[in-house]
């Protein structure tokens, strides 16, 4: 599990990081999905053999790399935090990361 700030996440998801409008909608809805292409997952190094091996590993239910985010990771956006609650692999080899807003802690 890792904890990232918005800028750190944006650096991982270049060239198309989530925009200000995305985060505003995510906070309002209390959940969102971040989609990334295969280049963000593989770093364009893995090639077809690596993608095939990853698909086979997932079919067998074995753990492995989920790309830039994994379940349980936390992304801090201003005063709000989101937790990654699910990862779905796309047919093209990218990922969809489901994120949910974390309830703010009460400091009482």
């Amino acid at each position: 599990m890792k904890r990232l700030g918005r800028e750190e996440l944006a650096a991982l998801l270049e060239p198309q990081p989530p925009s200000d409008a995305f985060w505003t909608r995510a906070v309002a809805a209390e959940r969102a999905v971040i989609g990334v292409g295969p280049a963000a997952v593989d770093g364009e190094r893995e090639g077809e053999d690596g993608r095939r091996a990853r698909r086979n590993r997932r079919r067998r239910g074995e753990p492995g790399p989920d790309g830039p985010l994994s379940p349980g990771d936390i992304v801090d956006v201003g005063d709000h935090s989101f937790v990654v609650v699910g990862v779905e692999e796309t047919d093209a080899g990218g990922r969809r990361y489901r994120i949910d807003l974390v309830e703010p802690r009460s400091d009482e």
Side-chain angles (χ1 to χ4, degrees), residues 36 41 54 57-58 63-71 87 95 97:
V36 300
V41 175
R54 186 176 62 244
R57 184 195 77 243
R58 285 179 173 269
D66 290 312
L69 295 170
S70 295
V87 179
R95 298 284 186 280
Y97 301 100

Side-chain angles (χ1 to χ4, degrees), residues 10-90:
L12 290 175
L13 302 182
E14 284 294 336
Q16 296 181 341
S19 67
D20 291 343
F22 169 85
W23 290 115
T24 300
R25 288 189 309 269
V27 168
E30 299 184 354
R31 64 179 45 101
V33 174
I34 298 173
V36 300
V41 175
D42 302 331
E44 297 187 74
R45 297 181 303 269
E46 200 170 65
E48 184 56 35
D49 290 338
R51 286 189 286 275
R52 188 176 309 114
R54 186 176 62 244
R55 283 192 299 267
N56 288 337
R57 184 195 77 243
R58 285 179 173 269
R59 271 186 254 199
R60 292 189 301 267
E62 298 171 1
D66 290 312
L69 295 170
S70 295
D73 288 352
I74 296 175
V75 179
D76 294 318
V77 181
D79 293 337
H80 304 283
S81 295
F82 289 87
V83 64
V84 178
V85 295
V87 179
E88 176 186 339
E89 186 169 354
T90 66

